[in-house]
Amino acid sequence: MPSQDLLNGLNASQQAAVQSIDGPHLMLAGPGSGKTRVITHRIAYMISQGISPRDIVGLTFTNKAAGEMRRRLDVLIGPTDVWLGTFHGFCVRLLRRYSQLVGLPVNFNIYDVDDSLACLKQAVKDSNIDLSHTPVSRLAQRISFYKNRLVTPEVLQADPRGSSEYQVSQIYPHYQQALLACGAVDFDDILMHTALMLREHAELREQLDERFRYMLVDEYQDTNLAQYVILRQLCVDHPNLAATGDPDQSIYGWRGANTQNVANLERDYPNLRIIRLEDNYRSTPEILSLADCLIQNNQYRKHKQLVPSRPAGHKVRLTIYPTARAEAEDIADQIVAWTKSTDHPLSDFGILYRTNAQSRLLEQAMVRRQLPYQLIGGFRFYLRKEIKDLIGYVLLVNNPNDDIACQRVINVPPRGIGKQTVEKLRRFAHEHQMSLLEACRIAGSEKLLSSRATIAVRDFVRLMDRLNDQASGSLVSLLQTTLDETRYREFVEKSARSDQDQLDLGQNIDELLAEAHEIDGEIDGDTHDSRSSLERFLELVALQSDVDKLKTDRNVVTLMTLHAAKGLEFPCVYLIAVEENILPHARSKDDPMQLEEERRLLFVGITRAKDRLQVSYARSRGFGGSSESGIPSSFLMELPRREMLVQDRCDDLGSDYNDAGNYDAGEDFSDQFSPDPSDLAGGETIDHDDLTFDYDDSCQLPPEELKQRRLKKAQRRTGSSLTTGASLADSQIPWEKFRQGVHVSHPLWGNGQIVQVSGHGPKRAVSVVFSDTGLERTFRLSHAPLRLEG
DNA sequence: ACTCGTAGCCTTTTT
DNA sequence: GGCTACGAGT
């Protein structure tokens, strides 16, 4: 395609983004601004200008997004050699290639959360460190936290201020050693190893900077420090970096994502070109107005516009249900009615919620109506027991040093190697610095075990040897041999508790085989990729995400979390359970930064909708066993209610689907508003403005809650807390109190001490060393949410 | 060594 | 409500 054609149909800023190739770029792209289109056209344009596809790397958040780009690129210019994939995928390739630099074997295994936790537990056990009631999962969290910030065991141990984290600093090196001994990495290691490798090997860094001349990064607002460093290292000599992102859609702060990375670009690349993509082509003005009103409430935010380009459409509905069950059932009914009376396919509907737990009632409602649906997330396919068992064998074949995999499969299905035996073998292996499998191999000649156990262990070793013979063959034959030799299907049939279980388990195994078959096929067809099918398979298993499995072509309703919905769009969106303690989540309410992230989450949800949006909450919702009354989310108060269609369905649905039992339908709105089903199906909007009412009365906020709310507002106005940040008038902040040696806290980085200051007034900048991480960060007082302590 | 039962646990979001 | 870890019985 000639390069001029690549600009067709693009607006001015999109064209600018496509045509400006060299140098650092930041594309601030709001939702629905045609970002993916711009990136793919940009790549195509680059190639049309003579840049070699092999010099280009495009990094995305999910494999799904990478696949979509690949597909569009194929349409534009046909198959190319551009590297498109996820950050993690990219790093795994680099690590395989240069594994010896980080002390890993080429065939290192990648651990999922379960394996990582098992490994950590073992490290704790072997190191004889007393945990004194600290749960291991908490340690895992902390270690992950540090890894995302590139804090190595050595750095953490050297930090004298880490006393509060003493246990973590003690365990961390043992854990890292255990991983290395197994020849394995956890998720966070993939990024950390890569970042450190680039940082510590100047020659390699230079070589790769040269090799990957053009870097494009999608969802840049969700990158963490490790990813930031990786990018930085690869864009020194050839600073051709195109970062795309939207700070308003940053929803992974809890995973170490650092919004600051966006701001840091300006600091790192003085000639950064910023291109704003603000025209929204996805949603109706009604939907965008809602999103805009909401996000304005975020204080730590740079102003950005949402410019509608579509004609007016339907009003957004806010629906109040008596119970969570009524919510699920009614939405299912609506979808049925809608698909009957219009030509909407089921794939037009997306139902979004904050936590996975909210999917259950919806699933039940769908099943009852025989509505086909796809559930994204929840329990992951690869984390299912039967799948993990099988993969365990493959992992052990790939890397015989992987003791975690070995322990997983050594007695599955049961073959007479019990706990005691495994413990003896482990101790022996530990003493003699060998892997568990090696220990099994020589257990017989060492007279380590009873005669019965010796035979069982010998048989296990022979089994692994036979599987090893299949390693170079096709994946399917390796898996099939494993299934046959272990009589795994028989074992699964016995352990299934119900017929349905049995069927599911069998189907899962079949699905895994089908995937293996697919990979075997790719190997024959594609001579470009030299990786073995085993390697590909293990990468797929480790790095494929739930969203990657999303099918957009199938005629089914989609159910997923708000996080999973990022980057997607649906003509009709239902946003459910918009209730206090759910969205915003109870655990995020205390921290202003986290609260803003919750607001962004709702913003992401709203902006997924193209034509129609219904936001809903229920007055009562079951939590586990008990039921609790649902308080409408405080975010709902921030929406422009005059523009919305508010429906209270408590009266007409109250008597049905009563899952909590104690809904009091007393003095409600039955005469003020009765919903008309034809409005839903026919697509005609009736103006109910005169029927809407004020939230503070209608949503029955408890008086205490209202009081709190007013109090907080008042506090914010008077600036009674010593927090910096754009929200307060400059004169009210005692800027000069931020001087060297003063203790401060930051909502994200924790507590720290000012080590350096410069400038005066709101322009004052301070450098702070944080005790949690030992890292030094510099902030402009007028922008950073720093708080004086003590 | 294995199977079954139960008490106690947690329950945000995920590459 | 659902899963895991642990313990008692076979």
Side-chain angles (χ1 to χ4, degrees):
Chain A
M1 184 181 283
S3 29
Q4 268 315 305
D5 290 1
L6 290 168
L7 302 173
N8 283 348
L10 300 178
N11 67 31
S13 41
Q14 288 176 329
Q15 287 190 8
V18 167
Q19 282 178 292
S20 184
I21 293 174
D22 288 303
H25 289 80
L26 171 62
M27 293 164 204
L28 288 171
S33 58
K35 185 185 53 171
T36 310
R37 191 145 177 253
V38 165
I39 296 176
T40 46
H41 280 248
R42 190 171 194 268
I43 294 173
Y45 187 83
M46 289 162 83
I47 294 169
S48 79
Q49 296 299 104
I51 292 170
S52 162
R54 285 183 41 95
D55 291 350
I56 305 172
V57 175
L59 299 177
T60 58
F61 202 63
T62 62
N63 293 297
K64 169 98 185 150
E68 175 64 17
M69 280 188 198
R70 169 81 63 200
R71 198 185 60 73
R72 294 204 200 181
L73 215 46
D74 275 356
V75 173
L76 287 178
I77 54 169
T80 71
D81 263 356
V82 178
W83 203 98
L84 282 175
T86 63
F87 242 109
H88 286 78
F90 178 68
C91 290
V92 166
R93 302 276 178 100
L94 287 184
L95 287 177
R96 291 241 186 264
R97 178 91 171 70
Y98 305 101
S99 54
Q100 71 288 351
L101 291 182
V102 263
L104 287 168
V106 226
N107 55 333
F108 65 84
N109 282 341
I110 303 168
Y111 281 173
D112 60 38
V113 274
D114 284 1
D115 298 330
S116 308
L117 206 63
C119 188
L120 179 59
K121 276 181 186 157
Q122 217 144 81
V124 169
K125 205 160 135 198
D126 291 344
S127 62
N128 288 318
I129 293 169
D130 180 30
L131 280 192
S132 58
H133 310 302
T134 310
V136 186
S137 57
R138 155 97 193 149
L139 291 181
Q141 261 178 33
R142 297 305 299 162
I143 291 175
S144 172
F145 173 90
Y146 288 121
K147 284 186 173 180
N148 282 322
R149 288 163 182 75
L150 297 182
V151 180
T152 58
E154 297 75 38
V155 170
L156 189 63
Q157 272 195 314
D159 185 16
R161 286 159 301 189
S163 59
S164 63
E165 298 270 287
Y166 182 70
Q167 286 175 340
V168 182
S169 68
Q170 292 289 98
I171 298 287
Y172 187 11
H174 287 279
Y175 172 56
Q176 223 40 19
Q177 236 163 13
L179 284 170
L180 236 44
C182 288
V185 298
D186 65 21
F187 265 128
D188 304 313
D189 280 341
I190 294 174
L191 300 177
M192 184 171 82
H193 281 319
T194 308
L196 296 179
M197 177 176 84
L198 290 172
R199 205 192 244 177
E200 282 157 19
H201 297 86
E203 276 169 54
L204 176 65
R205 190 212 65 73
E206 214 172 302
Q207 185 191 328
L208 293 176
D209 192 349
E210 171 80 21
R211 162 84 180 74
F212 307 118
R213 288 213 182 187
Y214 293 89
M215 307 283 301
L216 294 94
V217 186
D218 198 10
E219 309 285 9
Y220 184 77
Q221 77 281 355
D222 286 322
T223 54
N224 60 28
L225 182 68
Q227 289 165 316
Y228 168 77
V229 167
I230 292 166
L231 284 176
R232 189 70 197 90
Q233 304 290 332
L234 292 177
C235 297
V236 177
D237 307 320
H238 302 279
N240 304 313
L241 172 67
T244 345
D246 177 6
D248 288 336
Q249 292 182 67
S250 159
I251 53 175
Y252 284 93
W254 50 275
R255 207 169 74 182
N258 185 4
T259 354
Q260 206 63 34
N261 286 353
V262 176
N264 286 347
L265 276 185
E266 291 190 72
R267 185 197 65 192
D268 291 346
Y269 305 93
N271 54 341
L272 180 74
R273 180 161 182 209
I274 300 178
I275 298 173
R276 289 169 179 275
L277 302 175
E278 294 182 315
D279 290 341
N280 181 298
Y281 298 101
R282 177 185 296 152
S283 313
T284 62
E286 287 86 353
I287 292 166
L288 291 179
S289 161
L290 211 68
D292 197 46
C293 266
L294 176 77
I295 204 67
Q296 300 279 349
N297 288 280
N298 270 4
Q299 297 177 27
Y300 307 113
R301 167 180 187 264
K302 269 193 178 172
H303 178 76
K304 199 161 80 355
Q305 265 191 299
L306 280 174
V307 183
S309 66
R310 294 185 51 187
H314 309 282
K315 282 199 171 187
V316 174
R317 282 186 301 156
L318 173 69
T319 309
I320 305 156
Y321 292 105
T323 64
R325 161 149 286 136
E327 182 182 53
E329 300 288 337
D330 178 59
I331 288 171
D333 280 339
Q334 283 188 38
I335 294 175
V336 169
W338 225 325
T339 47
K340 267 186 188 153
S341 58
T342 67
D343 55 358
H344 276 294
L346 290 176
S347 53
D348 277 2
F349 299 90
I351 308 178
L352 312 180
Y353 37 81
R354 173 69 235 264
T355 72
N356 285 305
Q358 263 100 51
S359 70
R360 264 217 353 269
L361 290 171
L362 286 165
E363 282 193 89
Q364 287 170 12
M366 299 280 152
V367 169
R368 216 166 297 170
R369 288 162 186 73
Q370 298 190 317
L371 268 177
Y373 66 90
Q374 58 181 336
L375 181 76
I376 307 299
F379 346 84
R380 266 177 209 213
F381 178 70
Y382 296 115
L383 290 183
R384 278 165 213 216
K385 186 172 56 63
E386 66 278 14
I387 300 301
K388 281 223 66 174
D389 288 344
L390 277 175
I391 292 172
Y393 281 100
V394 181
L395 282 172
L396 190 53
V397 167
N398 181 57
N399 174 4
N401 289 325
D402 189 340
D403 289 0
I404 299 295
C406 188
Q407 281 175 78
R408 165 143 212 129
V409 300
I410 196 166
N411 201 31
V412 176
R415 53 172 72 89
I417 307 176
K419 256 190 157 171
Q420 299 293 321
T421 308
V422 173
E423 213 31 57
K424 271 186 210 159
L425 288 166
R426 272 197 59 209
R427 234 174 293 145
F428 183 83
H430 201 250
E431 274 166 32
H432 294 80
Q433 300 279 319
M434 60 174 69
S435 72
L436 194 55
L437 192 59
E438 276 174 275
C440 290
R441 206 174 282 283
I442 60 170
S445 50
E446 294 286 326
K447 304 246 184 313
L448 210 62
L449 311 162
S450 70
S451 61
R452 196 155 56 136
T454 305
I455 293 170
V457 168
R458 187 199 63 198
D459 286 348
F460 172 64
V461 172
R462 286 187 182 166
L463 166 68
M464 287 315 299
D465 285 342
R466 285 196 298 278
L467 294 184
N468 259 314
D469 294 340
Q470 301 284 329
S472 51
S474 77
L475 256 179
V476 173
S477 71
L478 173 60
L479 285 171
Q480 196 58 57
T481 309
T482 309
L483 283 168
D484 294 344
E485 296 258 359
T486 59
R487 306 214 285 179
Y488 194 82
R489 282 192 198 262
E490 248 173 77
F491 162 67
V492 152
E493 273 164 32
K494 251 190 292 174
S495 61
R497 291 197 308 276
S498 67
D499 288 356
Q500 188 56 48
D501 261 15
Q502 209 185 94
L503 203 68
D504 287 348
L505 295 172
Q507 279 175 354
N508 286 341
I509 294 172
D510 291 339
E511 198 178 326
L512 189 71
L513 281 172
E515 270 178 17
H517 186 72
E518 210 170 293
I519 292 174
D520 282 335
E522 278 172 26
I523 293 293
D524 296 336
D526 187 354
T527 47
H528 244 44
D529 196 335
S530 59
R531 298 174 307 147
S532 69
S533 54
L534 191 63
E535 195 181 327
R536 286 191 190 206
F537 178 71
L538 291 176
E539 191 180 308
L540 177 89
V541 163
L543 300 182
Q544 191 177 64
S545 72
D546 295 315
V547 203
D548 297 336
K549 296 207 145 193
L550 179 90
K551 301 276 196 311
T552 38
D553 47 339
R554 272 168 53 202
N555 191 23
V556 299
V557 180
T558 303
L559 274 51
M560 62 178 142
T561 62
L562 290 163
H563 282 93
K566 193 179 67 165
L568 303 176
E569 59 179 25
F570 299 92
C572 308
V573 168
Y574 291 93
L575 227 49
I576 70 162
V578 186
E579 288 155 34
E580 205 65 6
N581 297 326
I582 296 180
L583 180 62
H585 195 271
R587 288 198 49 176
S588 298
K589 286 209 305 184
D590 301 330
D591 178 349
M593 288 310 236
Q594 285 186 40
L595 189 71
E596 296 216 342
E597 183 157 308
E598 296 284 313
R599 195 178 277 114
R600 289 195 291 270
L601 209 41
L602 181 55
F603 175 81
V604 167
I606 292 171
T607 53
R608 298 310 94 196
K610 291 162 93 167
D611 308 321
R612 287 177 183 275
L613 173 66
Q614 171 181 305
V615 180
S616 65
Y617 72 88
R619 284 231 169 87
S620 123
R621 183 173 301 274
F623 274 109
S626 65
S627 84
E628 278 174 39
S629 58
I631 304 164
S633 167
S634 50
F635 295 152
L636 291 177
M637 322 297 166
E638 299 167 359
L639 302 182
R641 49 187 174 281
R642 299 279 160 219
E643 297 173 17
M644 299 166 76
L645 189 59
V646 183
Q647 300 183 300
D648 191 310
R649 305 291 304 274
C650 289
D651 279 359
D652 63 316
L653 295 176
S655 51
D656 309 335
Y657 325 123
N658 198 338
D659 59 356
N662 50 4
Y663 166 62
D664 174 21
E667 12 87 63
D668 267 291
F669 315 96
S670 45
D671 13 283
Q672 293 180 42
F673 180 79
S674 59
D676 176 5
S678 67
D679 170 46
L680 314 180
E684 187 195 1
T685 312
I686 306 161
D687 196 333
H688 283 279
D689 260 3
D690 51 330
L691 297 178
T692 59
F693 36 79
D694 196 84
Y695 278 84
D696 286 353
D697 304 321
S698 70
C699 295
Q700 299 176 331
L701 265 186
E704 297 83 3
E705 181 79 11
L706 278 175
K707 220 177 181 178
Q708 284 285 322
R709 200 179 287 284
R710 289 204 193 97
L711 209 68
K712 270 187 193 159
K713 255 188 200 162
Q715 267 177 8
R716 235 180 284 158
R717 266 198 300 274
T718 57
S720 61
S721 66
L722 290 183
T723 307
T724 69
S727 61
L728 300 171
D730 291 351
S731 59
Q732 287 172 324
I733 299 279
W735 302 108
E736 307 303 327
K737 281 194 178 173
F738 289 83
R739 50 177 191 272
Q740 197 169 341
V742 165
H743 290 273
V744 293
S745 72
H746 185 281
L748 184 63
W749 293 87
N751 293 320
Q753 197 173 9
I754 296 178
V755 293
Q756 207 187 349
V757 295
S758 62
H760 292 280
K763 284 191 171 172
R764 169 167 281 201
V766 299
S767 298
V768 181
V769 172
F770 290 100
S771 48
D772 272 357
T773 56
L775 293 172
E776 185 181 316
R777 311 286 305 176
T778 303
F779 303 95
R780 176 75 55 94
L781 282 183
S782 56
H783 293 303
L786 277 178
R787 193 190 182 92
L788 287 170
E789 289 290 315

